[in-house]
Amino acid sequence: MPLPVPVLPEGVDPAWLPPAAFRAVGGRRTLIRGSGPLVETVHGEMAEACRRFGGRVVRDASDDGPYDLVLAVSAGDLGEEGFTVVREGGTTTVTASGGRGLLYGLFHVVRLGAAAFTGERSQETHRPALATRMLDHWDNVAVHPVMGQVERGYAGGSLFWEDGRARGDLQRVRAYGRLLAACGINAISVNNVNVHATEARLLTDRIGEVAEIAGALRPYGIRTHLSVSFAAPIVLGGLSTADPLEAAVRSWWAEATRRVYEAVPDFGGYVVKADSEGQPGPFAYGRSHADGANMLAAALEPFGGTVHWRAFVYDHRQDWRDRSTDRARAAYDHFVPLDGEFAPNAVLQVKHGPMDFQVREPVSPLIGAMPRTRLAVELQVTQEYTGQQRHVCWLGPMWSEVLRFRPEERSVGALARGGLVAVSNAGDDPFWTGHPLAQANLYTYGRLAWQPDAEPREVLDEWIGLSFPDAPARLADGLHAVLDGSWRTYEKYTAPLGVGFMVQPGHHYGPSVDGYEYSPWGTYHFADRDGIGVDRSAATGTGYAGQYAKPWAEVYESPDTCPDELLLFFHHVSYGHTLTSGKTVIQHIYDTHFDGVEEVEAAREVWAGLVDLVDPARHTRVTELFEEQLRSAREWRDQVNSYFFRKSGVPDAHGRRIY
Amino acid sequence: MPLPVPVLPEGVDPAWLPPAAFRAVGGRRTLIRGSGPLVETVHGEMAEACRRFGGRVVRDASDDGPYDLVLAVSAGDLGEEGFTVVREGGTTTVTASGGRGLLYGLFHVVRLGAAAFTGERSQETHRPALATRMLDHWDNVAVHPVMGQVERGYAGGSLFWEDGRARGDLQRVRAYGRLLAACGINAISVNNVNVHATEARLLTDRIGEVAEIAGALRPYGIRTHLSVSFAAPIVLGGLSTADPLEAAVRSWWAEATRRVYEAVPDFGGYVVKADSEGQPGPFAYGRSHADGANMLAAALEPFGGTVHWRAFVYDHRQDWRDRSTDRARAAYDHFVPLDGEFAPNAVLQVKHGPMDFQVREPVSPLIGAMPRTRLAVELQVTQEYTGQQRHVCWLGPMWSEVLRFRPEERSVGALARGGLVAVSNAGDDPFWTGHPLAQANLYTYGRLAWQPDAEPREVLDEWIGLSFPDAPARLADGLHAVLDGSWRTYEKYTAPLGVGFMVQPGHHYGPSVDGYEYSPWGTYHFADRDGIGVDRSAATGTGYAGQYAKPWAEVYESPDTCPDELLLFFHHVSYGHTLTSGKTVIQHIYDTHFDGVEEVEAAREVWAGLVDLVDPARHTRVTELFEEQLRSAREWRDQVNSYFFRKSGVPDAHGRRIY
């Protein structure tokens, strides 16, 4: 039985799967070969496309050929997710070894569009570079008094939960799964890594709600994961301890996990934030994080599950007066000594930078420093520190820089073993992502997880082609003009030269240069009347630069070789210090802040000019958000410039207005 | 029937009315003359005191005399609240014209203690200087997601409300009323001036809950008031407007008010925060605040009620870049043009300073500038900006300075006509006020409202005598050492020289020098590398200084004559500017911050030495709070000193540690 395509609720945007995206495949004669649930998903997609565009789809070859398109599962060595595409004699053939591969192959043909059905095409093999391509939802079941329904969520409520319960809107969940499959994501964690009381119970008596979500995502090749509390044996099991080496604790987890798999046979595993920002963890029992992770890995192992153990462990109650403690060092210091101790089904999940998803950070030195550990790199698609989906900020170029960074050769293997994880930016907003153009971030993330060395600009082309299938080149040009440079624009009008933070405490939206300067969070810039930046050199600073292998340890060690964009992350320099660009630090701060605002103004003009090419709801929403982005960018410019002018006393070389 | 003294729940502190405070009156032969509910309250007090200390109380003179104490209501011209005391021939006689006067007279005798019964005492007449001596409770009925059960409450939950409903614990409410009567308070507003949806309904279908509270307070001479929403005709009445000149709106208020008085015959009136920080108000209809206040005054007038209309109106969405707008000017600019337009039963409630309850502000120029308006001065007993009842900060000296300030002679009359109002610091905490020593603030407020020119130190003596009736002089000396200078100590280690704010945004606890510097709230210090302060002079600044009458307009106008403690409120000066004290501004900042912390350390030592004289629960609580105060004071010292050292580059003359 072909699986019907999910019906979107009235008013919900189809994102990158509008019906017209299927025009090219929907008008053909198609043969589908193979069996299994995901083949039925493929059949449902083709049936809907053909219904719309006049084609025909059959399931066996007894029907007369020839076919324009053949989608076939057959034994082979492509793995569960790989596929080949070839076009010969007027037939385009996709072959996969499994149903998931066939689904990915179908979406590949959809992306190709008419080009998939013209001329000849020699055989190409596609396989994902990373086996796990995961989204973590920081969704709360019960509305949190401070963080709300979705922690760091900027797209309405949760797709899964509402006011303490599962929403039950499984059509919307299926539609979400379909969008994710179309960009290659194959795993979701459905609740916040900060596991509060209500959410903890998803593991036990409320697993049925998780099972329903898992059932809706399964036809799209997505396995469901769950964030759990390390203290679950105490808070749910009534034990007196959560010590990972205690037999009763281990049995409790084994039994709890067995029951999870009864409810969700293809359950993906657990996500754990332990000993981090107040969450419980193994330190309370004098155990290591390997002890903690391995206990959960042992419980999951019989069923093929994985534990994702987050490396985001640092002292969040640091004294700002203590300059010897450096939060940037923390993950490396905590975890590198444990390399080799983690179980094969334990994945250490490492944020891409050493701090916390700033607009500019160096790549974490932990990546590459644990060759005997499965590492997953964690990105943040939700724009916590990059405009909170009120600002246009397409993160493809940043992620691409991260994914192409090579600390040493062996890191490539480490990354591939553990996969890529990202914090989702989606919610129950009609556009899924609050800002309609933030859809591009979600799509780009999925595609980079499949192919980390893809050109982000080409991924953006794909997204444009799918989302606006009938649009003229002028729209594509306009979208590129608005999106391509938007991350660097955002960087220009916010915190300069890699120094980070300078945001409003708590919600993290908008500027506050000293907002975290005297806080316990370990995020400082040390600006005084003479200079700014954090000395993280090995010679005179915190030693963080020495956590890198060569060549980076040497490059970062000196202000003379450190790249401009990371200068203040690694060094404290005077305002008069001259950058590679030839500008002084202070003039760079002024110039980038004036430039950044002008770039937002220019992007807003480009968008205004696209009014005839974009549907009114989308155009209006983005237009309104540009007003807010521009207001906010000016606020950033004026606060940052005033702050540094008041402190340095150096006037702008061009005499522009500084308040 | 004598009214029994309320029974305190187990573990609740008797504050300034412990049983032993009644030792002197409880062992006597007492005659009570007169009738009425409050005479029964007096009788109940005496009955309980006699039960404990062996005295005897009778209600008519048929019993054999002589009496040690006669408490008599008899016709006279002392007003409802006045009383006389005289001692002749071994009999102490209190005479009042009404029951409330008699109750105040009784508490006066309690305060005198044994001295009331020795020797002769010529007749003294006591009358309150101010007719209204009011406490505003910023208590929410439903827990607010950000502000909680009590907005700016630092003493547990509300005495009146819990989780959306009246608590129903009327014994505790009665006990509270009794404490307030003993210091002279005669009016309470029972809900937050920010009136949210649940609280709005207290006016209509939930008035019964207010009536129960009013019933518990009435025997202590306290009238109950209610904060109402200006938008009530819309949100409760279903009207399409709240325009104060619209007939339907006026009828709605008249009818709603009639029903309130059916439920609470001695209802005090309404408190209104309109057009302030987002609350609705008459501006929306193009009407003046006099129009708004007078509409409510008209509804209340037939029943003898009063509307308290707050003057806390300013632009809370100001642009920090606009230096011409000065929040300090706002109340004067808004209200002075309306002088003479307010109804006789409308009271304009003015915060004592032009900003918002900072540790140091000039007295508001509005006080004294509206001779034809009933003004009430609003103080803040709850320590929002003065340590949040975790720091010892006895505010008596500050309030005394405010109350003794004479902008011009006519102001005295204006102040007396409207009364004194303060935001309460009490809650359901076992010590009522969180910090046990914060009880002294509540007591002092009440006594200063009765007699604004009282010596605060003598009021503190009263409080000590009542609260610790059997303690030796060493305890009194210790409490004075801890409390007397605590406000100036707090001032020293926080924001310097009247500049204000520099607190963490939102909750306002702890330092953040730039926390409000680039905010829309109108609270700036304008510190740069050369100097600091706000030029509010008439000649070169915002003109605020010109809102004062002479001599103050001239005194504040020049940095040479402006008092040191307000210098940065009125002037922007260089760090090298020399104060009257002979110190530079920057050295004053360093010195006061080091001194302030040392003073906290010294007070902590004094308190530690009182361990044998104070009950263990109280001593332990204060000891723990001193740890927090000291930690916080050091944080203030180090942040403020580091901030100004980084900005000015001027080293401390004494080479002390600045981080």
Side-chain angles (χ1 to χ4, degrees):
Chain A
M1 279 285 288
L3 181 76
V5 171
V7 178
L8 279 179
E10 181 70 25
V12 174
D13 186 60
W16 51 87
L17 291 182
F22 292 80
R23 191 185 308 278
V25 297
R28 315 281 162 177
R29 288 165 304 168
T30 297
L31 170 66
I32 298 176
R33 276 187 168 145
S35 63
L38 268 76
V39 177
E40 302 307 329
T41 304
V42 170
H43 189 169
E45 291 287 344
M46 286 308 306
E48 172 64 15
C50 290
R51 186 185 68 73
R52 231 175 239 277
F53 297 106
R56 199 155 57 83
V57 58
V58 296
R59 283 297 284 275
D60 65 67
S62 64
D63 189 284
D64 287 336
Y67 300 101
D68 302 309
L69 176 61
V70 175
L71 299 162
V73 173
S74 67
D77 59 356
L78 294 163
E80 179 66 22
E81 302 193 313
F83 60 89
T84 59
V85 191
V86 65
R87 181 168 171 86
E88 295 170 327
T91 297
T92 303
T93 301
V94 174
T95 309
S97 306
R100 278 156 68 198
L102 198 68
L103 183 64
Y104 294 133
L106 166 64
F107 285 123
H108 181 78
V109 174
V110 170
R111 278 193 294 271
L112 291 174
F117 301 100
T118 48
E120 299 284 296
R121 183 175 280 268
S122 57
Q123 181 170 303
E124 287 173 14
T125 300
H126 295 264
R127 281 197 192 86
L130 303 175
T132 302
R133 305 175 300 279
M134 186 163 172
L135 274 184
D136 281 3
H137 276 259
W138 286 356
D139 297 13
N140 295 315
V141 178
V143 175
H144 186 274
V146 176
M147 291 301 179
Q149 187 77 66
V150 180
E151 183 159 335
R152 312 304 179 190
Y154 314 107
S158 165
L159 290 162
F160 306 125
W161 317 104
E162 186 171 45
D163 277 340
R165 295 193 308 269
R167 288 172 63 102
D169 181 0
L170 295 177
Q171 283 283 327
R172 185 85 193 259
V173 175
R174 282 185 57 211
Y176 183 52
R178 181 174 176 248
L179 285 170
L180 299 186
C183 64
I185 287 162
N186 68 356
I188 284 188
S189 172
V190 295
N191 66 308
N192 189 358
V193 290
N194 292 316
V195 180
H196 311 292
T198 303
E199 292 73 18
R201 291 172 49 207
L202 294 177
L203 176 67
T204 52
D205 57 315
R206 297 185 65 167
I207 190 66
E209 294 169 65
V210 178
E212 289 195 353
I213 294 167
L217 296 172
R218 189 175 292 118
Y220 301 97
I222 295 169
R223 286 175 81 175
T224 297
H225 298 240
L226 199 59
S227 293
V228 296
S229 168
F230 192 79
I234 298 171
V235 297
L236 301 173
L239 302 189
S240 61
T241 177
D243 183 344
L245 300 192
E246 187 74 39
V249 172
R250 301 177 72 85
S251 314
W252 188 88
W253 277 109
E255 175 61 14
T257 304
R258 192 185 62 72
R259 289 175 191 266
V260 167
Y261 277 89
E262 274 178 13
V264 188
D266 62 344
F267 181 70
Y270 300 136
V271 178
V272 186
K273 175 177 179 178
D275 290 320
S276 172
E277 298 180 340
Q279 295 294 311
F283 285 163
Y285 307 100
R287 310 303 183 190
S288 78
H289 276 239
D291 293 332
N294 290 346
M295 169 189 66
L296 297 177
L300 289 160
E301 191 276 333
F303 310 99
T306 302
V307 56
H308 283 82
W309 189 269
R310 295 179 87 230
F312 188 52
V313 178
Y314 70 98
D315 180 1
H316 70 290
R317 297 194 175 175
Q318 170 173 347
D319 191 328
W320 62 268
R321 289 166 283 216
D322 163 23
R323 290 220 188 179
S324 67
T325 301
D326 181 4
R327 171 171 164 177
R329 293 184 55 112
Y332 185 102
D333 287 344
H334 278 296
F335 286 97
V336 166
L338 300 177
D339 189 31
E341 294 185 18
F342 286 92
N345 63 327
V347 170
L348 190 64
Q349 185 168 318
V350 185
K351 291 193 182 194
H352 68 81
M355 299 299 280
D356 192 15
F357 300 136
Q358 299 305 290
V359 67
R360 177 73 72 174
E361 295 188 35
V363 173
S364 170
L366 194 55
I367 302 169
M370 296 186 71
R372 294 178 296 153
T373 305
R374 286 176 68 193
L375 291 189
V377 174
E378 182 177 321
L379 308 175
Q380 194 180 43
V381 184
T382 194
Q383 293 171 232
E384 178 177 359
Y385 292 99
T386 49
Q388 302 199 350
Q389 281 137 259
R390 300 202 243 169
H391 296 222
V392 178
C393 187
W394 177 55
L395 295 164
M398 174 167 86
W399 297 333
S400 182
E401 285 190 15
V402 169
L403 294 168
R404 290 172 190 222
F405 183 80
R406 291 290 170 261
E408 339 172 44
E409 271 317 302
R410 58 187 178 177
S411 72
V412 182
L415 179 64
R417 280 204 308 283
L420 202 62
V421 180
V423 187
S424 171
N425 69 343
D428 76 350
D429 172 71
F431 287 100
W432 301 88
T433 53
H435 200 303
L437 299 179
Q439 291 175 358
N441 280 328
L442 185 53
Y443 183 88
T444 303
Y445 164 68
R447 297 289 294 142
L448 288 178
W450 181 282
Q451 187 190 345
D453 62 355
E455 278 299 329
R457 217 177 162 284
E458 291 173 13
V459 174
L460 195 59
D461 275 330
E462 284 179 18
W463 175 77
I464 293 170
L466 287 170
S467 302
F468 307 94
D470 301 319
R474 183 160 68 81
L475 177 59
D477 291 347
L479 288 166
H480 273 294
V482 166
L483 289 165
D484 284 1
S486 58
W487 165 55
R488 287 178 188 277
T489 296
Y490 188 85
E491 181 183 29
K492 285 180 187 173
Y493 62 75
T494 58
L497 298 165
V499 78
F501 287 88
M502 301 192 173
V503 292
Q504 293 275 346
H507 58 69
H508 300 162
Y509 186 77
S512 178
V513 179
D514 272 3
Y516 278 98
E517 188 59 14
Y518 301 92
S519 81
W521 293 95
T523 52
Y524 314 117
H525 54 64
F526 299 133
D528 61 20
R529 73 199 320 257
D530 302 316
I532 179 175
V534 188
D535 183 354
R536 291 190 163 105
S537 69
T540 58
T542 69
Y544 167 80
Q547 291 186 337
Y548 290 85
K550 288 180 187 176
W552 295 108
E554 290 169 352
V555 168
Y556 293 145
E557 178 67 15
S558 161
D560 298 330
T561 52
C562 182
D564 281 355
E565 69 269 16
L566 289 170
L567 182 66
L568 301 184
F569 193 92
F570 283 99
H571 299 283
H572 188 93
V573 299
S574 73
Y575 294 117
H577 176 92
T578 304
L579 298 168
T580 312
S581 66
K583 289 181 182 172
T584 62
V585 165
I586 188 71
Q587 194 57 42
H588 172 94
I589 292 174
Y590 297 151
D591 286 351
T592 51
H593 283 79
F594 284 111
D595 291 351
V597 171
E598 286 177 14
E599 288 170 16
V600 175
E601 287 167 344
R604 182 180 63 159
E605 289 313 301
V606 170
W607 181 258
L610 303 177
V611 63
D612 55 321
L613 302 179
V614 179
D615 59 283
R618 189 183 319 262
H619 196 272
T620 302
R621 168 92 70 110
V622 173
T623 299
E624 288 166 0
L625 288 165
F626 260 124
E627 290 308 308
E628 165 55 19
Q629 181 175 1
L630 191 53
R631 183 206 64 75
S632 177
R634 288 173 177 152
E635 182 70 27
W636 271 100
R637 175 195 65 194
D638 293 335
Q639 275 203 34
V640 171
N641 284 350
S642 287
Y643 180 97
F644 286 105
F645 175 65
R646 287 191 192 178
K647 222 156 199 169
S648 71
V650 179
D652 173 36
H654 307 296
R656 289 163 294 192
R657 176 141 199 192
I658 296 178
Y659 292 89
Chain B
M1 280 285 289
L3 181 76
V5 171
V7 178
L8 279 179
E10 181 71 25
V12 173
D13 187 60
W16 51 87
L17 291 181
F22 292 80
R23 189 183 310 277
V25 296
R28 315 282 162 175
R29 287 167 303 167
T30 298
L31 169 67
I32 298 176
R33 277 190 170 144
S35 63
L38 269 75
V39 177
E40 301 306 328
T41 304
V42 170
H43 189 169
E45 290 289 343
M46 285 308 306
E48 171 64 16
C50 290
R51 186 187 67 73
R52 231 175 240 278
F53 297 106
R56 199 155 57 83
V57 58
V58 297
R59 282 296 286 273
D60 64 70
S62 63
D63 189 284
D64 288 336
Y67 302 100
D68 303 307
L69 176 61
V70 175
L71 299 162
V73 172
S74 67
D77 59 355
L78 294 163
E80 180 65 24
E81 303 191 312
F83 60 90
T84 59
V85 191
V86 65
R87 182 168 170 84
E88 295 169 328
T91 299
T92 303
T93 302
V94 174
T95 309
S97 306
R100 278 155 68 196
L102 197 69
L103 182 64
Y104 294 134
L106 167 64
F107 284 124
H108 180 78
V109 174
V110 171
R111 278 193 295 271
L112 291 173
F117 302 99
T118 49
E120 300 284 297
R121 183 174 280 267
S122 59
Q123 181 171 307
E124 288 172 14
T125 300
H126 294 264
R127 281 197 193 86
L130 303 175
T132 302
R133 306 175 300 279
M134 186 165 173
L135 273 183
D136 281 2
H137 276 258
W138 287 355
D139 296 13
N140 296 316
V141 179
V143 176
H144 186 274
V146 176
M147 292 299 178
Q149 187 79 65
V150 181
E151 182 160 335
R152 312 304 179 191
Y154 314 107
S158 166
L159 289 162
F160 306 125
W161 316 104
E162 186 171 45
D163 276 342
R165 294 195 308 270
R167 288 172 64 102
D169 182 359
L170 295 177
Q171 283 283 326
R172 185 87 194 258
V173 174
R174 282 185 56 210
Y176 183 53
R178 181 175 177 248
L179 285 169
L180 298 186
C183 63
I185 287 163
N186 68 355
I188 283 188
S189 172
V190 294
N191 66 306
N192 188 358
V193 290
N194 292 316
V195 181
H196 310 293
T198 303
E199 292 72 18
R201 291 173 48 208
L202 294 177
L203 175 67
T204 53
D205 57 315
R206 297 186 64 167
I207 189 67
E209 294 168 67
V210 178
E212 289 195 353
I213 294 166
L217 296 173
R218 188 174 293 119
Y220 300 97
I222 294 168
R223 287 175 81 177
T224 296
H225 298 240
L226 199 59
S227 293
V228 297
S229 168
F230 192 80
I234 299 171
V235 298
L236 301 172
L239 303 189
S240 60
T241 176
D243 183 343
L245 299 192
E246 187 76 38
V249 172
R250 299 176 74 86
S251 314
W252 188 88
W253 277 109
E255 174 61 15
T257 304
R258 192 185 62 73
R259 289 175 192 267
V260 167
Y261 277 89
E262 274 179 13
V264 189
D266 62 343
F267 180 69
Y270 300 135
V271 178
V272 186
K273 175 177 180 179
D275 290 320
S276 173
E277 299 180 340
Q279 296 293 312
F283 285 164
Y285 308 100
R287 309 303 182 190
S288 77
H289 276 238
D291 293 332
N294 291 346
M295 169 190 65
L296 297 177
L300 289 159
E301 194 276 333
F303 309 100
T306 302
V307 56
H308 283 84
W309 190 270
R310 295 178 89 230
F312 188 51
V313 177
Y314 69 98
D315 179 2
H316 70 290
R317 299 195 174 172
Q318 166 173 352
D319 191 326
W320 61 269
R321 289 166 283 215
D322 163 24
R323 290 220 187 177
S324 67
T325 301
D326 181 4
R327 171 170 163 179
R329 293 183 56 111
Y332 185 102
D333 287 344
H334 279 297
F335 286 97
V336 167
L338 300 177
D339 189 31
E341 296 185 17
F342 286 91
N345 64 325
V347 170
L348 191 63
Q349 185 168 318
V350 185
K351 291 194 181 194
H352 67 82
M355 299 299 280
D356 192 14
F357 300 135
Q358 299 304 291
V359 69
R360 177 73 71 172
E361 296 188 35
V363 173
S364 169
L366 194 55
I367 303 168
M370 295 185 73
R372 296 179 293 153
T373 305
R374 287 177 67 193
L375 291 189
V377 174
E378 182 177 321
L379 307 174
Q380 193 181 43
V381 184
T382 192
Q383 294 171 234
E384 177 177 358
Y385 293 99
T386 50
Q388 303 199 347
Q389 281 137 257
R390 300 201 242 170
H391 297 223
V392 178
C393 186
W394 177 55
L395 295 165
M398 174 166 87
W399 298 332
S400 182
E401 286 190 13
V402 169
L403 295 169
R404 291 171 190 224
F405 183 81
R406 291 290 170 263
E408 337 172 45
E409 272 317 302
R410 59 186 174 178
S411 72
V412 182
L415 179 62
R417 280 206 306 284
L420 202 61
V421 180
V423 187
S424 171
N425 68 343
D428 74 350
D429 173 70
F431 287 100
W432 301 88
T433 53
H435 201 302
L437 300 180
Q439 291 176 358
N441 279 329
L442 184 54
Y443 183 88
T444 303
Y445 163 68
R447 297 290 292 143
L448 288 178
W450 181 282
Q451 187 191 346
D453 62 355
E455 278 299 327
R457 214 175 164 286
E458 291 173 12
V459 175
L460 195 59
D461 275 330
E462 285 179 18
W463 176 77
I464 293 170
L466 287 170
S467 303
F468 308 94
D470 301 319
R474 182 161 67 82
L475 178 58
D477 292 346
L479 287 165
H480 273 293
V482 166
L483 288 165
D484 285 0
S486 57
W487 165 54
R488 287 179 188 277
T489 297
Y490 188 86
E491 181 183 29
K492 285 180 185 172
Y493 62 77
T494 58
L497 297 165
V499 77
F501 286 88
M502 301 192 172
V503 293
Q504 293 275 345
H507 58 67
H508 301 162
Y509 186 76
S512 178
V513 180
D514 273 1
Y516 279 97
E517 188 58 16
Y518 301 93
S519 81
W521 293 94
T523 52
Y524 314 117
H525 53 64
F526 300 132
D528 61 21
R529 73 200 320 257
D530 302 316
I532 178 175
V534 187
D535 184 353
R536 291 190 164 106
S537 69
T540 57
T542 69
Y544 167 79
Q547 291 187 336
Y548 288 86
K550 289 181 186 174
W552 296 109
E554 289 169 354
V555 167
Y556 293 146
E557 178 68 15
S558 159
D560 298 330
T561 52
C562 183
D564 282 355
E565 69 270 17
L566 290 170
L567 182 65
L568 302 184
F569 192 92
F570 283 99
H571 299 282
H572 187 93
V573 299
S574 73
Y575 295 117
H577 176 91
T578 303
L579 298 168
T580 312
S581 67
K583 288 181 181 174
T584 61
V585 165
I586 188 71
Q587 193 57 43
H588 173 93
I589 291 173
Y590 297 152
D591 286 352
T592 52
H593 283 79
F594 285 111
D595 291 351
V597 170
E598 285 177 15
E599 288 170 17
V600 175
E601 288 167 344
R604 182 180 63 159
E605 289 314 301
V606 170
W607 182 258
L610 303 177
V611 63
D612 55 322
L613 302 179
V614 179
D615 58 285
R618 191 183 319 263
H619 196 272
T620 301
R621 168 91 70 107
V622 173
T623 300
E624 289 166 0
L625 288 166
F626 261 124
E627 291 307 308
E628 165 55 18
Q629 181 176 1
L630 192 52
R631 182 207 64 75
S632 177
R634 288 173 177 152
E635 182 71 27
W636 271 100
R637 174 194 66 194
D638 294 335
Q639 276 203 33
V640 171
N641 284 348
S642 288
Y643 180 97
F644 287 105
F645 175 65
R646 287 191 192 177
K647 222 156 199 168
S648 71
V650 179
D652 173 36
H654 308 295
R656 289 163 294 194
R657 175 140 199 192
I658 296 177
Y659 292 89

